[in-house]
């Protein structure tokens, strides 16, 4: 029952919708509240939902964040509040804050991408593709199969040639010529046995009529809830954003938009959206603990 | 009821004069299990591919094929594709997609079935085949046997009436082949699927089959109930070589006047029964010359350990093994026991991390700059195709610096203009051997040289290898083919979990084993000693003579 990872048991389509909804606001606004929520939410979710993200990634992100935060005030000198002067250039509070916010935006999107790629295995990606075009998905799945197949065959050819004493292998030129022959043999092999695959496809009725699409992913109740929640929350954010409630001015002086009910609602909505993977994981863990007691 | 019917079927390939099939007429009834046998080039594959129109080769075809009395030429592509299933010998290349579940659903998607129906059928087939555990796996991670089972399952998912199988077990090891054949039996007996199979592994297929179709150079030599046809092959020694040991023994020994009293045995059990009933057991053993190996070592392993990556398991564990000069040494053992890895280590292609390997008394690591491969050692890989780089067989020979006339064996000249991929498995092995011999090796390592070969080519390869050892070359063979090892090896070794558990001459080796041994040895276990091939058994039975009481009881039976 317990998934190893957030979204593991969700339909890829609903997860895809979620990621679009959570990343889109960050792309279109520089509102510090939204971006802070996004950063904290994405990092937090990556810690409790996806153990596969290694320590190294977090360290890289930290370094990148520091560099990007520092870069803006060093190169841009707009803003009224001068903090200090470095090499005759003023470092301003406004530029520093702008740098921090934009770095946070980039880092949070990188965290989301990382967790997205971890989730989107070739199977799930293909499923998304096949919604668009069944044929394109089939070509993609065949390509995914052939790349490692050819690499392995090339290795076998190289081994065979070497152990047959047909390689000279004493200098670089022989190496290159040998490599070329391995490549050509592998290509011939691929073409030759591609015929077998084609025959096997035809023998199993490829092209006799309209193909349908099968996937092991069903669109379940949980997916409807996830998709509806994501879209609903995004709608609140868009309503607020379209009304100008997020407009945040950095230069020359920081001016925050007035706090209205709509802005608070939008912040709350984005907060939920951003922490959704973490929330779902926690619900899952609690439910699992509860169910475990019954066993 | 008749399900498939061929009338006066003839077929000629383009640019060829002699027809590959001529006047083939036969009919198969529903639920029948038909074994098609014949030597390489007898037209088995051509016949099977003609029965499945989508994969039929180009060429001139006359005559007609009927499916449930409708000519297949007038059937819709849809019916043709899904009523008649087809599996060929290449497990890898028949797979289309990258995941097992997708492969199972591929044909069903082509049928245009709704998603729910596909989900049900895929689940059903995966259960029937016992491959649920593989469901989420990548297809390229599967073993050859699993791949072939998947191919079969993917075809069966469309609920075909007829399954056509063209040498489906040729590339499989004996255990996987046996699993595959068991699955066919299950499909046949539980779902009454009609099965038409051409294969060289007749030891298991013949007992399972209802009828036998024997092809010889494009003609039907015999067609009928398996047992009747098997016993009628006595007059055809060429066909007899590919029959199960029990049939061969019976055909050699049965007298004409016995024939109507004792049925032709097909399985080991029936064969044993036949020998017990009909022959005396006074002489237990044949006098065989004792085998003595030379003193000088050609290849030796001393406590060799090898693993493929740091955190994987040892594939070779303390492997110690010595092969002497001009020996024909066979390494047998199960899948994954490290046989092939041992060959790769001996040929310097994989590095071992402990122990040492000596080639002709010298440490393998002291052979520098490819000197190991010039005039010393060569290896014939399991997939011979990987050796070929040129567009014709003749160029291939020239590239290696040799030609068809200067080889130590007779090379089939008819194939010189063909592409090396388009010749039979046996011819490929000969071509591979020819290329390797051009480097004048002293040690020849062969990985599964008899895989997928018919009995005639096995004999041919066996004789070539024997003549090579006679001329002083040492031959080490890794094989699953214990019948071949029993017939040709000087010594055999059994691999188990990365090391050798026993090695001896085949007579002692196979006579001592009870499970891992030839069918002839299993047949006469406890009756005769040291008999491991059908020829040994025949010689011993002849030497002992028939039981008299059997004759008498048979006579009283008649009166």
């Amino acid at each position: 029952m317990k998934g190893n990872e957030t979204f593991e048991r969700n339909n890829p389509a609903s997860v895809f919708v979620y990621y679009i909804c959570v990343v889109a606001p960050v792309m279109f606004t520089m509102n510090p509240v939204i971006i802070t929520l996004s950063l904290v939410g994405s990092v937090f979710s990556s810690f409790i939902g996806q153990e596969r993200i290694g320590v190294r990634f977090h360290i890289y992100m930290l370094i990148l964040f520091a560099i990007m935060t520092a870069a803006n005030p060093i190169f841009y000198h707009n803003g009224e509040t001068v903090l200090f002067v470095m090499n005759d250039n003023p470092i301003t509070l406004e530029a520093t804050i702008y740098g921090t916010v934009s770095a946070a935006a980039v880092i949070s999107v990188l965290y989301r991408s990382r967790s997205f790629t971890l989730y989107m295995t070739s199977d799930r990606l293909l499923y998304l593709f096949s919604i668009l075009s069944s044929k394109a998905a089939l070509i993609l799945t065949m390509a995914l199969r052939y790349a490692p197949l050819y690499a392995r065959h090339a290795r076998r050819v190289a081994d065979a040639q070497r152990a047959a004493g047909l390689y000279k292998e004493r200098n670089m030129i022989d190496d290159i010529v040998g490599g070329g022959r391995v490549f050509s043999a592998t290509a011939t092999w691929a073409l030759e046995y591609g015929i077998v695959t084609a025959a096997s496809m035809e023998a199993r009725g490829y092209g006799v009529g309209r193909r349908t699409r099968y996937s092991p992913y069903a669109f379940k109740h949980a997916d409807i809830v996830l998709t509806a929640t994501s879209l609903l929350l995004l709608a609140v954010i868009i309503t607020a954003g379209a009304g100008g409630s997020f407009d945040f001015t950095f230069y020359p002086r920081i001016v925050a938009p007035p706090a209205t009910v709509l802005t608070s609602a939008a912040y709350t909505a984005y907060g939920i959206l951003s922490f959704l993977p973490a929330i779902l994981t926690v619900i899952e863990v609690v439910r699992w603990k509860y169910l475990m007691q019954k066993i | 009821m008749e399900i498939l019917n061929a009338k006066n079927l003839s077929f000629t390939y383009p640019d060829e004069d002699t027809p590959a099939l001529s006047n083939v007429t036969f009919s198969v009834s529903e639920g029948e299990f038909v074994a098609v046998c014949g030597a390489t080039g007898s037209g088995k594959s051509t016949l099977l591919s003609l029965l499945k129109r989508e994969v039929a080769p180009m060429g001139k075809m006359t005559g007609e094929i009927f499916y449930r009395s409708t000519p297949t030429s007038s059937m819709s592509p849809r019916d043709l594709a899904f009523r008649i299933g087809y599996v060929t010998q290449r497990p890898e290349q028949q797979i289309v997609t990258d995941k097992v579940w997708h492969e199972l659903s591929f044909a069903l998607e082509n049928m245009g079935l709704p998603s729910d129906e596909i989900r049900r059928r895929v689940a059903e087939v995966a259960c029937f085949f016992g491959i649920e555990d593989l469901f989420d796996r990548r297809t390229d991670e599967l073993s050859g046997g699993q791949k072939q089972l998947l191919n079969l399952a993917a075809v069966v998912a469309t609920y075909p009436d007829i399954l056509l199988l063209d040498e489906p077990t040729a590339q499989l090891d004996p255990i996987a082949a046996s699993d595959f054949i068991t699955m066919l039996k299950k499909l046949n007996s539980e779902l009454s699927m009609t099965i038409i199979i051409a294969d060289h592994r007749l030891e298991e297929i013949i007992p399972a089959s209802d009828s036998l179709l024997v092809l010889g150079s494009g003609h039907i030599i015999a067609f009928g109930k398996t047992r009747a046809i098997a016993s009628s092959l006595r007059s055809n020694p060429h066909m007899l070589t590919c029959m199960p040991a029990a049939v061969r023994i019976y055909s050699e020994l049965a007298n004409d006047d016995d024939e109507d009293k004792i049925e032709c045995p097909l399985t080991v059990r029936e064969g044993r029964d036949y020998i017990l009933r009909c022959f005396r057991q006074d002489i237990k053993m044949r006098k065989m010359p004792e085998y003595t190996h030379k003193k000088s070592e050609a290849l030796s392993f001393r406590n060799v350990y090898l693993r493929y990556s740091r955190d994987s398991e040892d594939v070779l564990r303390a492997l110690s093994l010595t092969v002497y000069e001009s020996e024909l040494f066979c390494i047998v053992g199960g899948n994954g026991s490290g046989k092939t890895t041992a060959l790769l280590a001996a040929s310097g292609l994989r590095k071992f991390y402990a122990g040492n390997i000596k080639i002709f008394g010298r440490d393998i690591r002291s052979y520098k700059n490819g000197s190991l491969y010039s005039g010393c050692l060569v290896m014939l890989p399991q997939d011979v195709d990987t050796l070929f780089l040129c567009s014709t067989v003749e160029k291939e020979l020239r590239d290696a610096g040799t030609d068809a006339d200067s080889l130590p064996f007779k090379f089939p000249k008819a194939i010189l203009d063909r592409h090396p991929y388009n010749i039979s498995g046996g011819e490929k092995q000969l071509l591979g051997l020819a290329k390797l011999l051009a480097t004048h090796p002293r040690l020849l390592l062969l990985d599964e040289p008899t895989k997928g070969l018919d009995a005639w080519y096995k004999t041919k390869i066996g004789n070539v290898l024997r003549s090579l050892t006679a001329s002083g070359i040492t031959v080490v063979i890794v094989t699953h083919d214990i019948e071949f090892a029993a017939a040709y090896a000087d010594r055999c070794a059994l691999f188990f979990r990365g090391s050798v558990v026993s090695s001896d001459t085949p007579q002692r080796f196979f006579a001592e084993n009870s499970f891992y041994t030839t069918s002839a040895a299993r047949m006469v276990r406890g009756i005769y000693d040291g008999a491991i091939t059908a020829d040994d058994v025949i010689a011993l039975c002849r030497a002992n003579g028939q039981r008299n009481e059997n004759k008498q009881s048979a006579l009283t039976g008649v009166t």
Side-chain angles (χ1 to χ4, degrees), chain A residues 121-123 126 134 137-138 141-142 144-146 148-149 152-153 155-166 168-170 181-182 184-186 188-190 192-194 196-218, chain B residues 52 54-55 77-78 81-82 86 88 90 92-99 101-103 105-110 112-113 115 118-119 122 135 138-140 154-155 347-350 369 373 377-379 381 383 385-390 399-400 419 421-422 428 435-436 439:
Chain A
T121 55
S122 67
D123 267 17
L126 273 173
S134 161
L138 183 66
T141 169
M142 291 175 72
L144 281 173
R145 175 175 144 61
Y146 281 114
L149 205 67
R152 212 168 326 138
H153 189 76
R155 165 100 203 251
R156 280 208 292 257
V157 174
D159 274 358
Q161 298 299 328
R162 200 147 86 86
L166 304 169
K168 303 292 180 290
E169 219 182 1
R170 298 219 173 93
R181 298 186 81 185
V182 169
S184 114
T186 308
T188 315
W189 176 85
E192 186 65 28
Y193 289 117
V196 179
T197 311
S200 148
M201 287 171 74
E202 207 160 330
R204 281 187 277 159
Y206 183 70
V208 297
R210 237 184 92 79
R211 288 192 91 221
T212 44
R213 184 173 54 79
Y214 163 72
S215 88
Y217 306 106
Chain B
K52 175 84 178 163
E54 293 92 333
V55 295
R78 211 188 140 77
F82 304 121
Y86 181 75
T88 64
R90 293 242 154 208
E92 181 87 71
Q93 278 84 16
Q94 284 181 84
I95 293 178
V96 178
T97 62
D98 69 328
K99 288 287 168 101
W101 64 262
H102 201 177
E103 191 65 22
S105 61
F106 175 74
L108 303 172
E109 291 179 326
N110 292 339
L113 293 180
S115 215
I118 296 181
R119 183 164 295 130
V122 162
F135 203 68
R138 288 183 59 87
T139 48
D140 57 1
V155 165
S347 57
L349 291 174
R350 295 289 179 277
N369 262 338
Y373 309 116
L377 162 161
V378 284
M379 186 176 82
D383 185 358
D385 286 348
T386 54
L387 264 184
F388 307 143
L389 302 168
C390 304
D399 181 56
H419 191 281
Y421 288 167
N422 290 334
K428 281 182 186 175
K435 281 194 79 169
L436 295 186
T439 63

